[in-house]
Amino acid sequence: MAHTGKRRVTIEGVPQRVWREDGLPFGLLTRHINGDPQTGAQTLVVDVPPGWSMPEHWNTADLELLVRAGDLTVAGRQCRPGHHLFLPSGTGLGPISSEGGASLIFWSDSRFEVRTGEPPTPAKPLSETVDVFDPANWSPVQEAFAGVTDTSSHGDLEVPTQCIRLRRVEDTGKDTILFVLPRRFAKTALEFHHSTEEIFFLGGWCATDPEHVYHAGEYLCWEPGVIHGVVSGWEAICLSKHHGPLTSPQIPLGATSVDAER
């Protein structure tokens, strides 16, 4: 299991709570969007107050964050809205601070635990994209995933999907992708995924079928095997996390169920 399947969440409608963890300075507020109780993984929206800071440390989990609003300084990196960081376990972090406050989309792949002292050697390389909203960072989906996975459902589109592969496929197949659906986007094929998928909607609108339309500030989570399509959108920007290999096999129009275990 990797996160609970939830059809739809409006982020601002999720209650805030004070984030209390050993070694974590007081002041952060979180919205618990989703999680996996078996691994301790969490999907959060974190609000950082103006003037908050944290000294150098490291963490036992792989972490990802995207700055939604405000400013955040991480080990000398000046992060503004649209800045994405993947921070693997063992990465030396800090000092971390925010001058004017910030709102973050935040993932931890396992139990979040702050550590001090000498960090171990990170098992994976740190990666960052300074501005996910810059079209210069976007590329066609089939080009970005050439030779990596099945992207047949993204072929023969009148208006092609663009993306940024923010976190590359690893041994587990986990991938974090920014999808950009231009104006008049339409994909008539039905598809599903073999792994859990989470999506934060950052801009525009996207319909995953004729009845379900998502706007900026909303979130969805699908368990493996959920059929979606016809997909359409208009200037939609979607932050998508797959908890296994990204596969999007096409299935016949009219299909109502699939075997996600194959």
Side-chain angles (χ1 to χ4, degrees), residues 115-188:
R115 294 284 186 267
T116 57
E118 189 68 24
T121 301
K124 313 174 189 73
L126 181 148
S127 65
E128 69 177 316
T129 300
V130 172
D131 187 357
V132 302
F133 301 115
D134 184 352
N137 291 322
W138 305 345
S139 60
V141 168
Q142 289 186 302
E143 177 183 311
F145 286 92
V148 176
T149 191
D150 174 14
T151 58
S152 59
S153 68
H154 289 268
D156 301 323
L157 296 176
E158 184 176 344
V159 183
T161 325
Q162 293 182 290
C163 73
I164 308 173
R165 293 182 63 198
L166 296 167
R167 177 179 177 182
R168 298 278 178 162
V169 174
E170 304 163 357
D171 293 341
T172 62
K174 292 182 179 179
D175 227 342
T176 304
I177 311 136
L178 186 89
F179 286 110
V180 181
L181 311 183
R183 296 180 180 184
R184 296 179 294 277
F185 176 83
K187 183 169 64 173
T188 57

Side-chain angles (χ1 to χ4, degrees), residues 2 23 48 73 83 93 112 128 144 146 149 154 165 179 193 196 205-206 219-220 222 228-229 239 247 255 258 262:
V48 184
T73 299
H83 200 134
L93 301 175
F112 180 87
E128 69 177 316
T149 191
H154 289 268
R165 293 182 63 198
F179 286 110
H193 302 297
T196 301
W205 65 262
C206 177
Y219 161 95
L220 71 79
W222 281 327
H228 44 288
L239 182 65
T247 55
V258 292
R262 287 185 298 170

Side-chain angles (χ1 to χ4, degrees), residues 75-95:
R77 293 175 174 82
Q78 304 293 322
C79 302
R80 303 294 178 184
H83 200 134
H84 174 273
L85 285 170
F86 168 59
L87 305 164
S89 171
T91 300
L93 301 175

